[in-house]
Each structure stands twice: as C-alpha cells, then as structure tokens.
C-alpha cells in the first residue's frame, strides 16, 4: 500500500524538477517527459529577476530568529506549567490549546493595526515576533507532555547538589526532551512558507521581503516563463529539504515518544 501511495508524493516533485529545465511550450506539451534540451540558465534567471539571493537571506533571517524565540518562550513555559500548583496553573495550561481555534486570517486586521501603532509596519521585526506567537500553542502542548513525564527524582537530585532552576532545565530536562524540541524545530517549514503576514506587514519593499512573497513576481499576466518560475520554486525547496534530512530521525523519535507520553 505504501508503494502505491509513494508515486502520488513523488510525482509533483518530479514534475517541478524537470519543468525547471524546460521552455514554457515543453512544460505544457510534454509535462512528464524529461527535457530534451535542458535550460540551465533558468536558475540564474530566477535569481536575477526575483532577487532570490537577497530574499533567501531575508527568509533565513526571519525563520531563524522566529525559531529561536519560539524555543526561548516554549521551553521555559513547558517546564513551568506541569510544576505549577493551584487553579491558576491549570487554567494557564488549558489556555494554550485554545490557540488552535484561532484562524490565521482572523488575526490579520488586529495585527495590521498593531503594526501601524507600534511603528513596525513594513519591517521584518514584527513578522519575527508574530510567527512564534502562532507556534506557541502546539509547541507548549507537545513539550509539556515531555516535561511532565521526565522523572522528578532527577531534578531533586540536582537540587540537592546545589543546581538552580535554570541549571536543572538546561542540563536535565532539555537533553531528555530533545525529541520534542526537534519537533518544535519543524516549525521551520511553517515559518519558511509563511506568505500572508509577510506580504501584508513587510509590504512591497524588495530589500526586505521573504522568498514566498518574491516568487510570484516571476509570474506575469502577459507571458510567464514557467521554466523560470519552476526553477525559482525548486530553489526554495533546498533549505526545506536540508532541514528535513537533518531532523528526520529526531522527528520519528518524537512522534513515537509523543504517542506514548500522550
């Protein structure tokens, strides 16, 4: 059954890659046939027309900062919530899953107004701050399960030896929760592919826009060179593929461990 499903996943990637070397006519006349005369210059054209070299740097910057902020916020919150006592801690822990109920577009207008009031409109800074906010519900829910099932005796032993709260978190809980943290790092995919808020908040400034906003500039109402468009799209997949390869094993461990802990 898996082998029957695999072509469904591989076919779009195959079509994208071979189309990156074809002329527009060849893309439509022979969509699944390998290119007879590969057009290698399409990748250079995509870099030049959409300034993909610059927007790649912008996307890497926005994504990396957002990931770091997500971890800096989610890890301490997940560590503190299971150790809280009383009704307040229970209410706070139950508030985080409510974030799943808020559609992305529902916060667009308030975010636009906040950007205008804070002077962060047409900047990358607000996007860097906004992306971790959207990732916090899932991050905290996943990591809290890992933190809760970590043996309390380890923390007690460390405190007897004089370790403080920060030391216990960094030296004991973080290493034991690495599968869960690796899952949080997969927010890279969402941050990298984010389009709506980057388009609205960052705006049309070519020096600040991200790669997902820049790609549509390769498309024209009059005459789109689909080979260049496909080449540009293929270039955006390279960082995603690298991150997936690096985190694949950790992700599988997290899914198995998370299923047991839940």
């Amino acid at each position: 059954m898996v082998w029957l499903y695999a072509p469904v996943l591989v076919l779009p990637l195959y079509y994208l890659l071979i189309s990156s070397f074809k002329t527009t006519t060849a893309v439509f006349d022979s969509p699944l046939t390998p290119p007879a005369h590969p057009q290698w210059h399409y990748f250079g054209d995509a870099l030049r027309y959409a300034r993909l070299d610059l927007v790649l740097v912008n996307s890497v910057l926005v994504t990396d900062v957002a990931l770091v902020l997500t971890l800096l916020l989610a890890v301490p919150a997940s560590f503190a919530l299971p150790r809280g006592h009383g009704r307040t801690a229970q209410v706070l822990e139950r508030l985080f899953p409510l974030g799943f109920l808020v559609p992305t577009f529902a916060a667009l207008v308030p975010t636009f107004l906040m950007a205008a009031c804070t002077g962060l409109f047409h900047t990358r800074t607000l996007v860097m701050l906004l992306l971790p906010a959207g990732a916090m519900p899932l991050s905290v829910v996943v990591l809290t399960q890992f933190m809760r099932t970590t043996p309390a005796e380890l923390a007690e032993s460390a405190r007897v030896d004089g370790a403080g709260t920060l030391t216990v978190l960094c030296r004991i809980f973080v290493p034991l929760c690495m599968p869960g943290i690796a899952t949080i790092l997969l927010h890279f995919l969402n941050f990298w592919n984010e389009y709506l808020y980057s388009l609205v908040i960052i705006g049309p400034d070519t020096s600040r826009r991200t790669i997902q906003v820049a790609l549509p500039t390769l498309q024209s109402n009059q005459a789109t060179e689909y080979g260049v468009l496909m080449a540009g799209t293929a270039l955006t997949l390279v960082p995603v593929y690298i991150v997936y390869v690096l985190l694949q094993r950790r992700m599988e461990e997290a899914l198995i461990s998370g299923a047991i802990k839940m």
Side-chain angles (χ1 to χ4, degrees):
M1 188 64 182
V2 175
W3 289 108
L4 294 176
Y5 186 62
V8 179
L9 301 178
V10 174
L11 185 61
L13 180 60
Y14 168 76
Y15 174 75
L16 173 66
L17 292 178
I18 64 172
S19 298
S20 302
F21 302 95
K22 292 182 177 182
T23 62
T24 300
T25 302
V27 168
F28 291 99
D29 289 347
S30 53
L32 298 180
T33 304
H37 305 286
Q39 306 294 318
W40 296 95
H41 62 90
Y42 281 166
F43 289 91
D45 293 343
L47 287 170
R48 184 172 61 257
Y49 295 158
R51 292 300 310 275
L52 292 186
D53 52 343
L54 177 61
V55 298
L56 275 170
V57 174
N58 290 336
S59 290
V60 169
L61 177 62
V62 170
T63 301
D64 289 349
V65 172
L67 272 179
V68 171
L69 287 177
T70 300
L71 291 175
L72 289 177
L73 294 172
V75 172
S78 304
F79 175 73
L81 285 176
R83 285 151 190 81
H85 300 285
R87 186 176 297 275
T88 302
Q90 296 177 1
V91 171
L92 286 175
E93 185 172 352
R94 291 172 181 174
L95 281 177
F96 279 99
L98 293 179
F100 296 118
L101 303 178
V102 181
T104 302
F105 62 86
L108 183 59
V109 173
T111 302
F112 176 84
L113 296 176
M114 181 175 63
C117 293
T118 57
L120 295 177
F121 196 55
H122 286 178
T123 67
R124 293 169 298 190
T125 304
L126 185 60
V127 178
M128 296 176 187
L129 297 175
L130 185 66
L131 292 178
M136 282 296 288
L138 177 61
S139 302
V140 172
V141 168
V142 171
L143 286 179
T144 297
Q145 304 305 319
F146 283 88
M147 297 286 185
R148 178 174 282 117
T149 54
T150 300
E153 292 79 6
L154 296 176
E156 294 173 359
S157 299
R159 293 188 185 278
V160 170
D161 293 336
T165 301
L166 184 60
T167 302
V168 171
L169 173 61
C170 296
R171 297 290 183 87
I172 296 177
F173 283 86
V174 169
L176 292 176
C177 296
M178 281 307 297
I181 292 175
T183 303
I184 304 308
L185 292 176
L186 289 176
H187 279 302
F188 172 91
L189 303 178
N190 295 329
F191 295 165
W192 183 264
N193 293 321
E194 202 285 322
Y195 175 77
L196 179 61
Y197 285 95
S198 297
L199 175 65
V200 174
I201 302 301
I202 297 178
D205 190 345
T206 56
S207 64
R208 297 177 181 177
R209 64 188 179 186
T210 59
I211 195 165
Q212 302 303 334
V213 178
L215 273 180
T217 62
L218 294 174
Q219 195 169 8
S220 171
N221 291 330
Q222 285 75 32
T224 299
E225 187 63 69
Y226 283 93
V228 177
L229 179 61
M230 295 294 184
T233 305
L235 288 174
T236 67
L237 297 179
V238 174
V240 175
Y241 178 76
I242 293 174
V243 171
Y244 178 77
V245 169
L246 293 176
L247 296 179
Q248 180 181 9
R249 179 170 297 180
R250 287 291 188 180
M251 182 181 66
E252 293 173 354
E253 293 175 358
L255 291 174
I256 295 174
S257 300
I260 297 174
K261 293 176 187 296
M262 293 294 284

